Amino acid sequence: MGRDSGSGGRPGIRRPGSDGRPGFRRRDHSVAPWIRTRLRTAPGAAVALALLVMATACLAAAFPRAVERYEDAGLRRAVLDATAPRTSLQVSAPQPGNYIPQPERETALRPESMRKAYERVLNTIERPLAVDPGQSTYGVRNVNDLEAAETWLPMPSGLPAQMSLAAQSGLAEHSRPSAGRLPRAGGTVTAATREVEAAVTTETAERLNIKVGSVIHVPAVGRDPLAVRITGIVVPRDPEGAYWTTQPLLRTPSLIRPPTQGGEPETYWLGALLLSPDAAPVLLGTPGEPARYWLLTPDPDALTAHDLSRLGSAVASLESGPGLVKVRASTDADTGVSTDLDEVLASYAELRSGVRPLVSVAAFGTGAVAVVVLLMAGRLTADRRRTELALLRARGASLRGLTRRLLTETAVVALPAGALGLAGALLVVPYGRASYAVGAALVVTLLACAALPVRALAAHRVVGVHGAREDLASVRPSRRRTIAELTLLVLASAAVLALRGRGTSGTSDEALGSGGSGDLGGSGDQLVAMAPVLIGVIAALVLVRLYPLPLRWLARPAGRLRGAIGHLSLARAGRTSVSTVLPLLALLTALTTAAFGGSVLAGVADARDRAAVLNLGADARVEAEGALPATLPERVRSTPGVREVTPLSIAYEAKPGAGVESVPLAGVDPEGYARLADRTGLGAFPAGELKASPAGATSKSGAEGSAKSGEGGSAKADDGEGGSAKAGGGSAKAAIPALASSAVADRYGTRPFSLRLADGSDVTVRITLVRDLTPALPGTDFLIVDRAGLGTVAARPTTLLVTGDEVSGAALRKAVSASTGADADATARADVRLRSEERARYVDSPLQSGAERVYAAAVAAGSGYAVLALLLALVRAAPERAALLARLRTMGLTRSQGRRLLVLEALPQALLAAAGGVLTGWAAVRLLAPGIDLTSIALATPGGAPPTGTAALHTDPASLFLPALTVLLLATTIAAGQAWWTGRRGSVRELRAGDSR
């Protein structure tokens, strides 16, 4: 009954091949696959891991692309701002030698020969340097200007106008005729041609009175002058394009002032006549020394910051290297290449070398926190499944098989999440190379996949169902942990010493030779960038070692108090698992990075505010070359947002004694000016020490002299070293007190000396106060005196310093325009500058603004990971705490006592993290501040001008305390919320579940 004929006589057994298919074994569907079972058992944990991996992979992949985007934008802005005359590659060759037959010389200047040479020159350009063919051109022009014989051309000083003849290609594509037509060459033009056609731009025609049909004669060699007939007036299609700006004379005539030996300066007009390219050989018949040229304009869109070193090499090769040899082989043996593009690239590299290390500090900080969170997620999952994995090991599961199952289980979730994060990063930041983004996302994904298997591998090497207690207050650190902590201490110390010794900024040569956006430099630079992170890590490890001590000290006194809440909360905090070291490590690292990053951003903002105040002296500055209207101060004072107006009388050309050097002098009202100096922090002083006595308020311009001394001291008019001046009537004038800079005080001392002003008046001053800075005048040379001591003309205000909370630039300019007159000239004479506008000048490059945005985003991401670490730690302990409250409620614990218990239990670690974060953040800033220079990112100015002042790193209280208080608030809020939610639910489930350990 029931015997199977293929079973070999054994009932109920089907051997392979018994059904006619040899070697086939049916799959046993009674056992579900491991991965599907695990995902169905804990879908929430799988979704949480997927979201964490996806967010981290997205941020990691977006970072190098964002850095590359703003670095490339900064490079292109630097090239565009440098203007085409500096950045264009100007290839020039002299005219063919006179030993060459004349027909061959003319052929070398014709368009076909010039075009072929242009194409050969383009082929010599090495990548990554790319040329914009739309703005590049070539042609022939005369080196020496040719004097025009026409008397109807304007002659400001009686000197005849001069002309430059240029036969440049592409005139039809880059201009449109506004009158007449473009020039043409009738027949074959040679050096002996007597008349050619030309065009001029609208600006040239307007300033030189040229019309269509005008004929201009220029000298020729050995024959009658060459006649140039104007057939058209053209309008440039892109006046600011490189085609017109590389040689601005082609578009705009210039008023030339030749050097003279004294006498009245003379001027003459210099304009350009645009010939047809076919007419270029006619220049050989003029004394203008014709020269061939090829103007190659770099394509800004093709420039990338990661190719900066190769760009510099390509430019150097063209100027004086193998590239120049190829160019000469393609054109002429005497060809030369000139450009300032290499200087522009070096200036950008210097700026980037100051910005990049600061960004790498933020990147390492946020990356360290993200790594800690990923490791913590894996460790918390391993701790939650400790019993399950120990049971599998006890039932015979091999360590390799268990690790492989956990790796596969995690990879099923992490790999798609990492791919989605990478796709999101590519969509959010569509610019940049994908290789670094893919690499960053892959690292994050692999780390997430390996966190759980590695932790399980370490925890279950030995088979055992129950392990020893791992209470934080009872477990002693192992030797391996001690060695690891000492290693980190050595690394942190080396990084801090390196950063303090050489700073974050490298030289421009090093920056020019650095790699791409994903390359943060050598190992030394990476160690320096990790200095804030290592300080936070060391502080976290030290605090973890010290954490059990206060718990032991407080446990005994709390046990003698009434009620069990305090004692129980401390006992629970002491029995916290050692796995909470990772949340504390994440919190401290994030708080240190946030404090350091916030201090950097605050230092940048403060430096810009300070530089703007140093330049203007107030919230706004109204300045004119001459005296301002008498009604203007009151009108400005009534402008909305203005709190106070301080009039100044500034003379920039005040000359001490009989010398030729000048010292800027400012006459002020001592009371108002003293308030302004105190408010701005620029050289505060007592107002009484600057006031001039009524007896000393005289000058040679009309007031009578007085022999009485002023408040700053007395001096008799003699001819000694004091340098005092004699009044016109022979009576000595009293010296008025003056506030001077240190440099001026060192030169003139404290004896009275005279100053000769621009209106011819004299004033005698005596330095009584010395300050390094003052609001009225920037720089290191200045004198400040009481306006009452100046003459009537010299005391008239020329500058207004305006202070107010929200000064409106439009309202202020409207008030100035109404007082000085509505015409454009009067408005131009009164210059209005606001501190907000001056501050915006220092954010000159996308490199700066992009670095600030990336830095702020990195700090925000690090703070978010810290909050996530806190949430993971509290959620991990949620089931155990719920069971504890359920048991205690059966013993009479009230809901309010349950809330206090959970809050007090979470408070020690939160308080430790907050206090430790404040201390480590403060220590990191103080230790690293001497090696951090924020000037490059804060105060870069257009054109590479030297910045006003420097930017140093200092602690920002808000960045220190706000994140720490946020940690405390979150910890207590989450604990209280958990107690409230647990109280609303029934306790049957928790009591039935038993101990969740």
Side-chain angles (χ1 to χ4, degrees), residues 329-498:
S330 303
T331 55
D332 190 275
D334 296 325
T335 299
V337 180
S338 63
T339 183
D340 289 337
L341 182 59
D342 51 350
E343 298 179 2
V344 175
L345 296 178
S347 176
Y348 169 80
E350 185 176 2
L351 175 61
R352 189 181 69 164
S353 67
V355 171
R356 176 178 280 188
L358 296 174
V359 177
S360 63
V361 168
F364 275 108
T366 303
V369 181
V371 168
V372 170
V373 170
L374 288 174
L375 294 178
M376 190 182 71
R379 179 160 188 169
L380 291 180
T381 304
D383 292 345
R384 180 172 55 85
R385 298 172 58 181
R386 178 187 297 271
T387 304
E388 170 197 348
L389 299 179
L391 183 59
L392 289 175
R393 286 285 287 145
R395 296 180 63 181
S398 67
L399 196 59
R400 179 180 300 178
L402 184 63
T403 304
R404 184 170 57 249
R405 281 191 173 188
L406 293 177
L407 179 61
T408 307
E409 172 189 337
T410 311
V412 168
V413 177
L415 289 178
L420 289 177
L422 174 61
L426 297 179
L427 292 176
V428 173
V429 188
Y431 181 88
R433 295 169 294 173
S435 57
Y436 286 107
V438 173
L442 184 61
V443 169
V444 170
T445 305
L446 293 179
L447 181 62
C449 292
L452 175 59
V454 171
R455 173 56 186 168
L457 179 65
H460 299 281
R461 287 176 300 175
V462 180
V463 179
V465 178
H466 296 290
R469 285 181 52 181
E470 293 187 356
D471 298 347
L472 190 62
S474 60
V475 174
R476 293 182 176 274
S478 63
R479 292 183 178 179
R480 293 181 179 178
R481 175 182 166 185
T482 303
I483 294 175
E485 292 176 3
L486 291 176
T487 303
L488 287 176
L489 179 61
V490 172
L491 290 176
S493 302
V496 172
L497 291 176

Side-chain angles (χ1 to χ4, degrees), residues 48-240:
L49 177 63
L51 292 177
L52 176 61
V53 174
M54 183 173 62
T56 307
C58 182
L59 291 175
F63 173 76
R65 292 170 69 87
V67 171
E68 187 171 355
R69 179 172 62 180
Y70 75 70
E71 285 189 349
D72 290 353
L75 176 60
R76 291 161 188 169
R77 171 70 66 82
V79 172
L80 290 175
D81 289 347
T83 68
R86 294 191 62 201
T87 59
S88 294
L89 299 169
Q90 302 184 28
V91 182
S92 59
Q95 62 176 326
N98 295 327
Y99 57 88
I100 300 176
Q102 187 68 12
E104 295 184 14
R105 298 180 68 208
E106 294 173 352
T107 302
L109 270 61
R110 298 193 187 280
E112 184 65 21
S113 300
M114 294 293 297
R115 182 185 61 81
K116 291 181 179 178
Y118 172 72
E119 293 174 352
R120 291 194 298 267
V121 170
L122 287 181
N123 293 331
T124 63
I125 304 298
E126 299 177 2
R127 285 289 183 181
L129 184 61
V131 174
D132 184 3
Q135 293 296 329
S136 300
T137 185
Y138 55 89
V140 182
R141 65 171 181 264
N142 55 285
V143 177
N144 301 324
D145 302 326
L146 303 175
E147 185 176 297
E150 279 63 34
T151 58
W152 50 265
L153 292 171
M155 293 182 286
S157 302
L159 297 178
Q162 297 191 17
M163 295 296 163
S164 175
L165 305 184
Q168 184 164 292
S169 65
L171 181 61
E173 291 79 9
H174 292 86
S175 65
R176 57 178 179 82
S178 65
R181 59 173 175 79
L182 294 178
R184 294 193 292 259
T188 302
V189 178
T190 64
T193 302
R194 295 181 176 275
E195 181 176 336
V196 292
E197 296 180 354
V200 293
T201 61
T202 52
E203 292 187 51
T204 303
E206 179 182 353
R207 298 186 185 185
L208 299 186
N209 301 326
I210 298 176
K211 299 178 176 58
V212 175
S214 300
V215 178
I216 300 174
H217 293 82
V218 295
V221 178
R223 59 181 177 84
D224 293 338
L226 173 66
V228 182
R229 183 177 299 277
I230 306 303
T231 62
I233 299 175
V234 298
V235 179
R237 298 183 186 273
D238 183 12
E240 301 303 323

Side-chain angles (χ1 to χ4, degrees), residues 279-327:
V282 78
L283 296 179
L284 294 172
T286 66
E289 294 292 332
R292 295 164 288 173
Y293 63 89
W294 299 266
L295 303 179
L296 310 179
T297 302
D299 185 6
D301 295 335
L303 300 177
T304 54
H306 66 270
D307 286 328
L308 195 59
S309 60
R310 296 172 59 202
L311 283 171
S313 300
V315 174
S317 175
L318 287 173
E319 286 187 301
S320 58
L324 180 59
V325 175
K326 295 179 182 179
V327 169

